[in-house]
Amino acid sequence: EAQVTQNPRYLITVTGKKLTVTCSQNMNHEYMSWYRQDPGLGLRQIYYSMNVEVTDKGDVPEGYKVSRKEKRNFPLILESPSPNQTSLYFCASSLMTETEAFFGQGTRLTVV
Amino acid sequence: GENVEQHPSTLSVQEGDSAVIKCTYSDSASNYFPWYKQELGKGPQLIIDIRSNVGEKKDQRIAVTLNKTAKHFSLHITETQPEDSAVYFCAAPVGGGGADGLTFGKGTHLIIQP
């Protein structure tokens, strides 16, 4: 089954404790991206990747890092999480930027 | 960069009636306009998309119309059913050419009243 898998689904952490949210896709897609979803603000792009070893900033990259060492994986790293990063996070992949994007189930992160 | 405005933020309609959600975009070079549906507790899913070489596209009860001159596109749902209740997002390519991905509208919460 074609899918994007994120882990964990839920995470509560403390300010400053480094964390990683994993994302994996099995569709051999080149394009992957991370979004955060906040009430009233919709989906905002954090980082994206056009291919292996190619990443770039989206609209709200501050406080986040990503890596793309393999085509299927695109982890999101929060080196020092802060409460304003409490949000619902989605990973997505697509064959190209202007084709159907497949989203993961989401990761609800709470930073206290 | 691209700016996408979506209206309304909440839409309540009676079951069986039609629903229309509208989006405007700023970059005249944009040529791909998808609509996503997000059900509670799930990630968004593509329901329909349109490219700039057509003005309307239909898929059963769902249609999208595009007006490139006015830079707006709309989602139309006819004969609404309870399972249509969800949050709907429109999107347009960042920077027109789309190399940087999609910019999403803020979403419309569609409520179908029984």
Side-chain angles (χ1 to χ4, degrees):
Chain A
E1 181 192 353
Q3 60 184 6
V4 177
T5 304
Q6 290 178 233
N7 279 297
R9 292 288 311 278
Y10 303 91
L11 179 60
I12 301 174
T13 190
V14 296
T15 299
K17 185 177 181 183
K18 180 180 178 180
L19 67 91
T20 299
V21 184
T22 63
C23 174
S24 180
Q25 50 96 1
N26 63 0
M27 295 167 278
N28 202 36
H29 285 165
E30 294 195 343
Y31 186 85
M32 297 185 74
S33 55
W34 276 102
Y35 295 87
R36 61 178 288 173
Q37 184 176 13
D38 302 289
L41 297 179
L43 292 159
R44 294 181 293 166
Q45 190 179 58
I46 303 170
Y47 267 94
Y48 63 95
S49 170
M50 299 290 285
N51 212 327
V52 174
E53 302 292 2
V54 180
T55 63
D56 212 340
K57 297 176 180 178
D59 296 322
V60 288
E62 294 78 20
Y64 304 95
K65 283 175 55 177
V66 293
S67 69
R68 188 90 182 274
K69 293 185 171 58
E70 307 162 280
K71 200 170 188 178
R72 62 184 291 122
N73 295 325
F74 190 44
L76 179 69
I77 303 152
L78 284 72
E79 294 270 3
S80 183
S82 62
N84 65 10
Q85 292 178 298
T86 292
S87 187
L88 178 59
Y89 291 87
F90 287 101
C91 178
S93 77
S94 58
L95 197 58
M96 297 182 294
T97 55
E98 296 187 3
T99 57
E100 179 177 3
F102 292 82
F103 283 80
Q105 290 281 71
T107 296
R108 185 165 291 283
L109 172 66
T110 303
V111 184
V112 298
Chain B
E2 180 69 275
N3 184 38
V4 177
E5 300 281 340
Q6 182 173 346
H7 299 280
S9 57
T10 303
L11 178 60
S12 181
V13 301
Q14 289 292 128
E15 182 178 346
D17 288 350
S18 295
V20 181
I21 303 170
K22 298 180 180 179
C23 284
T24 61
Y25 61 98
S26 58
D27 193 331
S28 57
S30 293
N31 54 14
Y32 174 66
F33 306 94
W35 284 91
Y36 284 82
K37 175 184 181 182
Q38 184 180 27
E39 296 176 341
L40 200 60
K42 297 184 178 181
Q45 274 192 300
L46 180 74
I47 53 171
I48 196 166
D49 58 15
I50 191 167
R51 298 185 187 272
S52 60
N53 57 339
V54 296
E56 182 176 1
K57 184 177 177 181
K58 291 181 81 170
D59 183 4
Q60 299 182 343
R61 297 187 296 109
I62 293 172
V64 54
T65 57
L66 171 64
N67 183 327
K68 284 224 77 180
T69 304
K71 289 191 280 188
H72 68 70
F73 57 111
S74 300
L75 177 71
H76 305 254
I77 306 175
T78 58
E79 300 172 24
T80 52
Q81 299 170 5
E83 55 264 35
D84 296 328
S85 291
V87 178
Y88 292 81
F89 293 97
C90 62
V94 176
D100 299 339
L102 298 172
T103 294
F104 285 82
K106 289 183 168 51
T108 296
H109 185 194
L110 177 62
I111 301 164
I112 308 301
Q113 303 279 8

